[in-house]
Amino acid sequence: MPSELPATPVIAEVVDKYADDLVALRRDLHAHPELSWAEERTSEAVVTALEGAGWTVRRPEGGGVLAEIGHSGPLVALRADLDALPVDDLISDPWRSTNPGVAHACGHDVHTAGLVGAGLALAEVSARGMLPGRVRLLFQPAEEVMPGGALQLISAGALEGVSHVFGLHCDPSLDVGRLGLREGPLTGAADALTVRLIGKGGHTSRPHLTEDLTFALGKVITELPAILSRRLDPRAGVSVVWGMVRAGSAHNVIPHGGVVAGTVRMLDAVAWADAEHLIRQLIAAIVAPYSVTAEVTYQRGVPPVVNHAESTRLLGTAVENVLGVHGHVSTAQSLGGEDFGWYLDSVPGAMARLGTRSPGGPTYDLHQGNLRVDEAATGIAARVLAEAAVTALSD
């Protein structure tokens, strides 16, 4: 196990002291979820907690919270996301969402409460003269919408002077008390794609007199993923998955309009740079035989999260100081999108996956209304994030 830093027992002491408060905060945030760019109540809860602990706090225009502590020396940033998802909360706990159709189904309530806990711990470390530099907390809006609220915080100066940035993301497939860590690519790039077709409709008994838009839409749905698999390097792991299809309202009417929408994901940043131009070309070629008009809306989303080697080492050391040498395990790259990648495009940093499954309990999935987390993960997140900041500043 790495040598314990002087601040390590202080961090543990403070997080233990506030353990019940952090769980209560997480439950309060879960009961009052807010969608992307509307995280007003959530942000005020963060401001109240941190200002009371001595942090210098500001609310950037556009949303989110930036907080800083320390007077001189190197600067490390810690990040959490604030927003919830437009899904129904299916849990039956007393802290079930009170906002119909909105739920913390991706664990951002845990991320936020965990970073508040790290802030409380670091405030005490600073008060005791044990903080070897400065720490900035990034409470970010709108992670769940493309291209993500990270760009807004970056434009507000969130990364100015920062040497490393660290973050955690809930992983319901990993037991609480474990963190998944990986040097290099952790997530994939993710874009949003909408294809709207317009053409001459008519009666299904006379498709030859129409432009049979529904048939053309079906071709886009099936052919685009197939052709992409032959036009882009298969090692890029390109995946086009449709989430919404809409056309027509009667079984015997060929409609004059239809739309299909989904995501384009890939593991490789080089393929991400080429994907939009190629996809627009392919859609035009697919629909050409049917004489329909295709309107393509392609929104570039987020780049892959690529963990920096030195930052990953520092984060691993922090995990070991908190949980021991078995506290982190290897984790695989996923196709999930995470706008933390924008931070890592600018400064070195690393993200780890935070185990939230109760040992022996069921495995849930993210972005589902039945997501449940082991609440011990909140305190673990607080300790690991605070430890990561002190570890990086002491390195």
Side-chain angles (χ1 to χ4, degrees), residues 46-69:
V46 169
V47 170
T48 299
L50 294 180
E51 283 186 336
W55 287 78
T56 300
V57 181
R58 68 182 178 98
R59 296 283 305 274
E61 184 177 353
V65 178
L66 296 175
E68 193 162 329
I69 204 164

Side-chain angles (χ1 to χ4, degrees), residues 30 33 35 83-90 97 99 101-106 369:
H30 192 95
L35 292 175
D83 53 332
L85 284 161
V87 301
D88 291 322
D89 195 345
L90 303 179
S97 172
N99 189 356
V102 183
H104 271 296
C106 200

Side-chain angles (χ1 to χ4, degrees), residues 316-384:
T317 298
V319 173
E320 291 176 18
N321 277 335
V322 173
L323 298 170
V325 293
H326 300 297
H328 58 80
V329 297
S330 178
T331 190
Q333 184 182 6
S334 78
L335 278 171
E338 172 43 271
D339 74 349
F340 192 77
W342 290 121
Y343 299 116
L344 302 190
D345 270 3
S346 300
V347 301
M351 169 173 276
R353 295 186 172 129
L354 175 71
T356 61
R357 180 177 62 192
S358 296
T363 299
Y364 296 97
D365 197 6
L366 298 174
H367 287 214
Q368 298 299 302
N370 67 342
L371 175 68
R372 292 180 58 88
V373 301
D374 189 311
E375 292 183 313
T378 304
I380 292 171
R383 289 185 62 188
V384 167

